[in-house]
Amino acid sequence: MKKILLIATGGTIASTEDGNGLSPALTGSELAACVPEIEGLCELDVVQPMNIDSTNMRPSDWLHIRNVVMENYDRYDGFLVLHGTDTMAYTAAALSYLIQASPKPIVLTGSQRPMLSPFTDAKLNLYQSLLWAVDDRARDVAIVFGGLVIAGTRARKQRTMSANAFTSVNFPPLAYIRHDRIVRGGASLPGWTIDDRALEAAVASTETDDGVQAFIAAFRAARAADRTAPTTFDALDDRVAVIKLTPGFDPRIFEVLKPAYDAVILETFGLGGVPEYGPDAPSFKQAIFDWVDSGRTVVMTTQVPEEGLDLGVYEVGRAYADHPGILHGDDMTTEALVAKTMWALGQSRDPREVSRLFYSVINHDRTPAR
């Protein structure tokens, strides 16, 4: 039976009403005890690094959760993080960059209603998250919520009250969970699909020489290494801000932000439109170019939820397409862009290295437009 570590951090799932509004109160052990159906799925241990509303979750807390996972990585077959829904997509993205290519599943879930509510979605989400965590093909960081398994970099909270709160943006769900059954699509999914014994039996049925046996041994060693060695990081630069353009927005905000921030995620209009209001108005082009020429970073994305950015289509975006220091978010979510920019700047201040890290594909986070 697999061993899973449940990491309880608070959120709605753990909340009770104390007369001042819902706030986290139940422990991870108490939450697990509310779902007796999980008995027999796995050996479950619980730790409680924090018990907070996810509105109060900060990058330092992402690092704390990362440390709990890595300090226990060799002792468990998978990890389940109970988390508030409001910032769960940010945490899932951050963990995707801090713990990359994990052969063991790191699952996040929560609920729209507290565990003790008579109409809660918490019990099914907790059960199905553990079902995914013990699945032999599950790996890397994912959110399991409302019957969907979503890559940790592709999730967004789409609804504030409904049980199907999360959607997978610009990438298909990794799987669906129907009651206690995992249903995968036809897309190539992470994880091994070749069983050691099946491969060994197939080869042994036709060949028995030393070379074949050496191949089997090498295959098994490579597979064992893959299952135990994620690439991990422990640094973030949290001086990253998000600006959403609105009609008439004043570009002088970039000058105001310089003392406090190293990077800006700019949510443009449409495919990548940035306004220029004429010679008598402050210039976005000058403000943005001054920002990046001062050694800071701009990440261009779109405020349109689906299909992504292409700065080369319209004149209002083309000026920014190839300027050094301007990174393209393509079809990534803003949540993933925030976490990835913090991660990339946490590793290097060299613009070329930051660009290399930013454009690398991690946990399905981007489909490059060029």
Side-chain angles (χ1 to χ4, degrees):
M1 186 177 290
K2 292 190 175 183
K3 292 184 65 177
I4 304 297
L5 181 64
L6 187 152
I7 304 169
T9 70
T12 296
I13 192 170
S15 290
T16 60
E17 174 61 71
D18 63 359
N20 295 307
L22 291 171
S23 62
L26 299 181
T27 67
S29 297
E30 290 170 329
L31 292 171
C34 291
V35 190
E37 292 81 4
I38 66 178
E39 192 170 342
L41 270 183
C42 61
E43 293 182 33
L44 190 68
D45 290 336
V46 179
V47 293
Q48 185 94 42
M50 61 197 76
N51 205 3
I52 62 174
D53 190 302
S54 73
T55 296
N56 295 322
M57 189 72 65
R58 295 172 293 179
S60 58
D61 297 312
W62 300 341
L63 289 168
H64 192 175
I65 296 169
R66 174 260 181 219
N67 291 342
V68 172
V69 172
M70 294 314 304
E71 287 163 6
N72 292 280
Y73 199 84
D74 293 337
R75 298 172 50 215
Y76 292 92
D77 300 300
F79 304 87
L80 172 58
V81 180
L82 299 184
H83 195 289
T85 60
D86 288 349
T87 61
M88 187 187 297
Y90 289 97
T91 300
L95 291 175
S96 296
Y97 300 119
L98 294 169
I99 308 172
Q100 295 181 20
S102 171
K104 299 178 181 181
I106 302 167
V107 186
L108 291 88
T109 198
S111 65
Q112 291 283 68
R113 293 175 179 265
M115 178 65 81
L116 300 182
S117 168
F119 303 107
T120 187
D121 55 330
K123 294 183 179 182
L124 188 59
N125 283 345
L126 199 160
Y127 175 81
Q128 291 183 336
S129 296
L130 283 174
L131 199 67
W132 181 255
V134 301
D135 185 79
D136 288 338
R137 290 174 58 187
R139 58 182 294 156
D140 224 321
V141 180
I143 286 177
V144 174
F145 204 102
L148 290 182
V149 183
I150 303 171
T153 61
R154 289 293 191 167
R156 169 165 291 168
K157 186 175 180 181
Q158 189 80 0
R159 300 171 184 87
T160 59
M161 293 180 283
S162 301
N164 57 337
F166 285 87
T167 188
S168 185
V169 179
N170 294 325
F171 192 79
L174 302 178
Y176 300 86
I177 304 181
R178 298 292 177 253
H179 302 296
D180 59 355
R181 187 161 148 258
I182 295 172
V183 181
R184 290 177 170 83
S188 176
L189 298 174
W192 291 86
T193 58
I194 303 174
D195 179 79
D196 279 337
R197 281 184 244 171
L199 176 68
E200 189 168 346
V203 175
S205 66
T206 56
E207 301 282 354
T208 58
D209 59 49
D210 292 341
V212 171
Q213 298 306 316
F215 169 77
I216 292 172
F219 175 88
R220 296 175 91 171
R223 179 174 175 178
D226 179 71
R227 285 176 179 261
T228 57
T231 302
T232 64
F233 302 85
D234 59 6
L236 296 169
D237 177 357
D238 62 2
R239 292 164 51 94
V240 176
V242 177
I243 295 176
K244 182 174 183 175
L245 291 182
T246 56
F249 195 91
D250 192 330
R252 287 174 291 190
I253 189 67
F254 283 89
E255 196 64 34
V256 175
L257 293 175
K258 277 184 177 179
Y261 290 96
D262 297 323
V264 163
I265 315 293
L266 185 63
E267 292 191 342
T268 66
F269 299 120
L271 277 171
V274 179
E276 284 295 324
Y277 296 122
D280 298 329
S283 168
F284 269 99
K285 189 180 300 183
Q286 180 180 340
I288 292 171
F289 288 177
D290 283 351
W291 177 274
V292 297
D293 292 345
S294 71
R296 296 171 175 84
T297 300
V298 164
V299 178
M300 307 283 272
T301 186
T302 172
Q303 57 193 259
V304 180
E306 297 183 5
E307 298 181 352
L309 178 90
D310 188 344
L311 291 172
V313 175
Y314 291 98
E315 182 183 357
V316 289
R318 190 167 294 179
Y320 306 94
D322 297 309
H323 191 86
I326 296 178
L327 302 174
H328 303 190
D330 294 332
D331 66 345
M332 292 178 66
T333 66
T334 297
E335 294 89 337
L337 288 171
V338 168
K340 193 170 194 179
T341 305
M342 288 183 179
W343 164 72
L345 291 176
Q347 312 317 309
S348 177
R349 310 303 296 189
D350 180 352
R352 289 172 297 182
E353 178 63 7
V354 170
S355 179
R356 185 190 71 80
L357 293 170
F358 182 83
Y359 286 117
S360 59
V361 179
I362 298 168
N363 196 16
H364 310 292
D365 65 353
R366 64 186 299 121
T367 307
R370 54 181 181 149

